[in-house]
Amino acid sequence: MDHEHQLHDSTDDEEKWVYDSSLDHKGRVPLRSSTGAWKAALFVVAIEFSERLTYFGIATNLIIYLTKVMHQDLKTAAKNVNYWSGVTTLMPLVGAFLADAYFGRFTMILISSVVYLLGLGLLTMSEVIPSLKPCDNPASCHKSEKLHEIIFFLALYLISFGTGGHKPSLESLGADQFDEDHAQERMKKMSYFNWWNFALCSGLLIGVTVIVYVQDEVSWATADMVLTCSMALSIVLFLMGKRFYRYRVPEGSPLTPMLQVIVAAIAKRNLPHPSNPGLLYEIPKSNGSRLLSHTRKLSFLDKAAILEDGYPEEDDEKVSIKKKQSPWRLATVTKVEELKLVLNLIPIWLSTLAFGLCVAQATTFFIKQAATMNRKMGNFVFPPASIYSVAAIAMLISVAIYDRILVPVLRKVTGNERGISILQRISIGMVLAMVSMMISALVERKRLKVVNREILSGSASGSSSMSVFWLAPQLITIGIGDGFAIVGLQEYFYDQVPDKMRSLGIAFYLSVLGASSFLSSFLITIIDHLTQRGGRKSWFGKDLNHSRLDKFYWVLAAINAVNLLVYAYLARRYSYKNVEKRVAVVTDSSEDERHGIEMIP
């Protein structure tokens, strides 16, 4: 009876408090009823809406600004957009490392938000202050002022640096609000990434419609001022949720323990493996952290956890040995498995770059295609960048249908609580991205035929009579693909990294898109060089009507087809993170004991 009573108290206590190594805003074990879950995550989701409104309000119309206001040619403008997008999505690797190792996610978000706000302020100044404007007389200006160019790109890259700390930390902080060892919160967390992207797409949708319309029809300065005010308000909103958040204390560089495992494994490379993996070194966690189960892959690294002084079974003896041996000589099983997790991410990361190549075209060449087509709806002519709203709407609908309809059905069919595995979800998005490139090639070929026919008939006016809604199929396809692959990538890189590297995990996902943007620019350069050999015409001319984007899209489709075979092979062999179950040992659940409740595996 005493044992049953103790178990009952333990269960009640776990329902009342959150024992996942997080703390409340006063540094105590969080109270479940007043912290975390959706009551905290909604603040984070709302800020993501505002930040994405700002980012996509700039990003989707950037190529139009560079070609029409700063008068860059198509190839230069596309490269500048890709470089900026690449830096913006690679910088989170730096911001995430600083957040996980030193500052913590909350502080990192505040710092980066201020930098973001400074970038927006400078961007506004470049459009408002007369001496910084691109030119005094836009009608006769054919080249941007040098000072404007310097200030403009400085502002853009300040926004990149701001995004570097803002994006991975914000998404990770939101996911941290759900306790993975609590059944109800774990189910809510599976929906979190879907609704996070719903908010992302909602902000994107307004950014590429309302903000872009203001840029094109009112002024770029007015749009920049609106975005600056939006970011300022989002910082206030973020601070309002401070008392509801669950916080993770940074544990120092996550790279040091991994390096220690490698050094220890090399040092003990000649030792034989123990016959029983249970004899490898591990100690119970006492701060709510989770232990990882041993896996057989990359078994060489297991040697880092071999005890050279025997294999004691008692925990106190293991603790004693740990005190005697340097971490550069002896690592726990959990540390070894954390390194294995990171190494297992690398092939998946590489195999998703081809998908990122497709995504990179949506904010560059898709928008330029729209600019050359008939954009009239009655008496209304909508901005070229607004066509991207079709992809955003497709993603919104696909995420909602997937979360509310497909997942419940798939759970019953597969028995998987996610419906399908994370890597299966990503693969569906990758297939759709490849199909989008094939559709894009066919549509662009038709557009070129229409343009050539109009030129021959003498009715060409610089833009095609072909409706811009011919682009809808490729945008809808890639939008639905994003609903599968991008959400899946976010969930995969957050879930499959070590717990103390969650911000870096989100940064890994963003770096897929960033590296793909650079890769897209590199591919354009290579193809441009190859197609001009022997005096042939380049696929990338001074404008779209003198280019062959359809051939470029076919190349991307072929790259994705080959890549899908590699990805399928890797996905079939992949082993997901295996966390040991945790049990709470509770002696007193009163308010005074909130700091020191022991957790054992």
Side-chain angles (χ1 to χ4, degrees):
M1 289 297 293
D2 290 341
H3 179 65
E4 291 180 2
H5 180 70
Q6 188 176 19
L7 286 177
H8 179 71
D9 288 345
S10 173
T11 302
D12 289 345
D13 204 81
E14 285 224 342
E15 283 296 320
K16 186 176 181 181
W17 310 108
V18 181
Y19 302 123
D20 63 351
S21 76
S22 62
L23 303 172
D24 66 9
H25 69 292
K26 293 185 177 180
R28 305 172 301 180
V29 173
L31 185 64
R32 193 177 299 279
S33 62
S34 61
T35 64
W38 280 113
K39 71 179 74 63
L42 282 175
F43 283 96
V44 179
V45 170
I47 301 162
E48 174 64 6
F49 167 84
S50 176
E51 194 275 333
R52 292 292 90 179
L53 164 72
T54 303
Y55 176 78
F56 282 103
I58 295 170
T60 50
N61 219 19
L62 181 57
I63 194 166
I64 303 298
Y65 187 89
L66 294 176
T67 52
K68 287 194 172 182
V69 178
M70 298 181 69
H71 305 285
Q72 295 182 351
D73 61 65
L74 176 63
K75 184 167 59 179
T76 302
K79 285 182 179 180
N80 279 329
V81 172
N82 282 327
Y83 290 147
W84 179 71
S85 298
V87 171
T88 303
T89 43
L90 285 177
M91 277 304 297
L93 288 170
V94 178
F97 176 81
L98 293 175
D100 285 341
Y102 304 109
F103 294 111
R105 286 157 199 164
F106 179 84
T107 303
M108 195 67 211
I109 293 167
L110 275 182
I111 294 171
S112 57
S113 294
V114 171
V115 175
Y116 205 128
L117 189 60
L118 287 173
L120 288 171
L122 197 58
L123 197 64
T124 304
M125 290 169 60
S126 73
E127 296 291 339
V128 173
I129 298 175
S131 60
L132 300 181
K133 287 184 178 181
C135 62
D136 294 325
N137 185 4
S140 61
C141 180
H142 300 289
K143 186 179 179 182
S144 65
E145 297 289 342
K146 192 65 178 178
L147 183 58
H148 170 78
E149 189 174 333
I150 293 171
I151 299 300
F152 178 79
F153 280 107
L154 177 61
L156 277 186
Y157 283 97
L158 274 176
I159 291 170
S160 292
F161 296 148
T163 304
H166 197 279
K167 192 79 173 99
S169 301
L170 190 61
E171 189 167 354
S172 298
L173 181 67
D176 287 345
Q177 306 311 307
F178 302 91
D179 181 4
E180 292 183 9
D181 292 315
H182 187 269
Q184 292 180 353
E185 290 195 15
R186 184 172 65 253
M187 297 297 286
K188 291 177 181 177
K189 187 172 187 175
M190 292 175 190
S191 293
Y192 164 75
F193 288 100
N194 290 324
W195 293 109
W196 168 272
N197 282 277
F198 190 91
L200 182 156
C201 287
S202 298
L204 184 159
L205 188 58
I206 297 177
V208 301
T209 52
V210 177
I211 299 300
V212 166
Y213 180 81
V214 173
Q215 289 170 342
D216 284 13
E217 302 299 326
V218 182
S219 72
W220 294 88
T222 301
D224 291 341
M225 284 188 279
V226 170
L227 296 178
T228 303
C229 292
S230 173
M231 178 53 63
L233 288 173
S234 75
I235 295 173
V236 175
L237 182 63
F238 177 67
L239 291 172
M240 287 173 61
K242 183 177 180 180
R243 66 189 182 92
F244 298 107
Y245 301 140
R246 296 172 187 169
Y247 302 84
R248 302 277 180 164
V249 178
E251 301 180 31
S253 172
L255 302 181
T256 302
M258 295 182 187
L259 184 59
Q260 289 172 341
V261 170
I262 294 172
V263 171
I266 293 174
K268 293 185 282 189
R269 61 189 178 278
N270 294 322
L271 292 180
H273 280 279
S275 57
N276 181 4
L279 297 175
L280 295 172
Y281 176 63
E282 184 65 282
I283 57 172
K285 297 287 185 179
S286 60
N287 61 350
S289 299
R290 303 190 300 171
L291 299 178
L292 298 180
S293 300
H294 174 263
T295 59
R296 296 186 179 278
K297 289 188 175 181
L298 300 172
S299 58
F300 170 77
L301 296 175
D302 293 340
K303 294 193 174 186
I306 294 176
L307 288 162
E308 297 174 280
D309 298 330
Y311 306 103
E313 297 182 359
E314 297 297 327
D315 288 342
D316 57 347
E317 291 183 56
K318 290 186 178 183
V319 171
S320 175
I321 287 178
K322 183 181 179 182
K323 290 179 179 178
K324 295 177 182 177
Q325 296 211 32
S326 165
W328 296 93
R329 188 74 186 184
L330 178 64
T332 63
V333 170
T334 293
K335 286 186 177 181
V336 171
E337 292 301 320
E338 285 177 345
L339 177 58
K340 289 182 183 180
L341 284 176
V342 174
L343 294 177
N344 283 331
L345 294 177
I346 295 173
I348 299 296
W349 186 90
L350 290 171
S351 65
T352 55
L353 290 176
F355 165 76
L357 280 175
C358 301
V359 174
Q361 310 317 310
T363 54
T364 52
F365 290 134
F366 283 16
I367 305 302
K368 282 302 293 181
Q369 282 178 287
T372 66
M373 301 173 79
N374 182 3
R375 293 176 277 111
K376 290 184 179 179
M377 291 181 65
N379 295 324
F380 176 72
V381 179
F382 62 87
S386 294
I387 194 64
Y388 193 75
S389 62
V390 175
I393 292 170
M395 186 175 179
L396 280 170
I397 295 172
S398 68
V399 166
I401 291 175
Y402 182 82
D403 187 75
R404 292 300 171 188
I405 299 176
L406 289 181
V407 170
V409 172
L410 289 170
R411 279 174 182 158
K412 295 178 182 178
V413 174
T414 65
N416 187 328
E417 62 181 359
R418 297 181 187 276
I420 55 177
S421 71
I422 301 175
L423 293 180
Q424 286 174 335
R425 179 174 185 170
I426 294 170
S427 69
I428 294 172
M430 293 171 71
V431 170
L432 289 170
M434 180 187 68
V435 172
S436 177
M437 291 300 101
M438 297 167 68
I439 295 172
S440 301
L442 295 173
V443 171
E444 176 61 10
R445 185 172 179 81
K446 179 176 178 59
R447 190 193 69 81
L448 287 172
K449 287 182 178 179
V450 171
V451 169
N452 290 333
R453 187 167 60 245
E454 290 174 348
I455 290 174
L456 289 174
S457 66
S459 61
S461 59
S463 63
S464 171
S465 62
M466 185 174 169
S467 172
V468 73
F469 289 106
W470 276 89
L471 299 178
Q474 68 200 56
L475 286 161
I476 291 171
T477 307
I478 203 164
I480 297 172
D482 286 352
F484 282 90
I486 284 187
V487 181
L489 284 169
Q490 290 171 353
E491 192 171 359
Y492 169 76
F493 283 109
Y494 177 87
D495 186 73
Q496 294 300 305
V497 296
D499 290 357
K500 59 187 176 184
M501 291 178 62
R502 260 36 194 298
S503 295
L504 268 172
I506 296 298
F508 290 151
Y509 138 69
L510 292 168
S511 69
V512 169
L513 304 180
S516 297
S517 293
F518 284 115
L519 191 58
S520 179
S521 290
F522 178 72
L523 193 59
I524 290 171
T525 301
I526 294 297
I527 291 176
D528 186 49
H529 176 72
L530 292 176
T531 54
Q532 291 189 78
R533 294 179 68 177
R536 290 176 295 179
K537 184 180 177 181
S538 171
W539 289 2
F540 306 99
K542 63 180 181 180
D543 56 46
L544 282 189
N545 295 340
H546 294 84
S547 303
R548 291 304 304 268
L549 274 190
D550 56 326
K551 293 184 177 181
F552 179 61
Y553 289 145
W554 281 120
V555 169
L556 292 179
I559 291 172
N560 274 268
V562 174
N563 180 74
L564 271 169
L565 298 176
V566 177
Y567 177 85
Y569 173 77
L570 294 172
R572 286 176 63 88
R573 294 172 55 85
Y574 188 82
S575 298
Y576 289 91
K577 182 196 286 187
N578 190 4
V579 180
E580 291 188 6
K581 295 295 182 181
R582 195 182 69 210
V583 178
V585 178
V586 181
T587 56
D588 187 352
S589 60
S590 66
E591 180 75 16
D592 293 336
E593 295 294 324
R594 288 179 68 178
H595 288 283
I597 298 175
E598 183 181 7
M599 314 301 295
I600 63 171

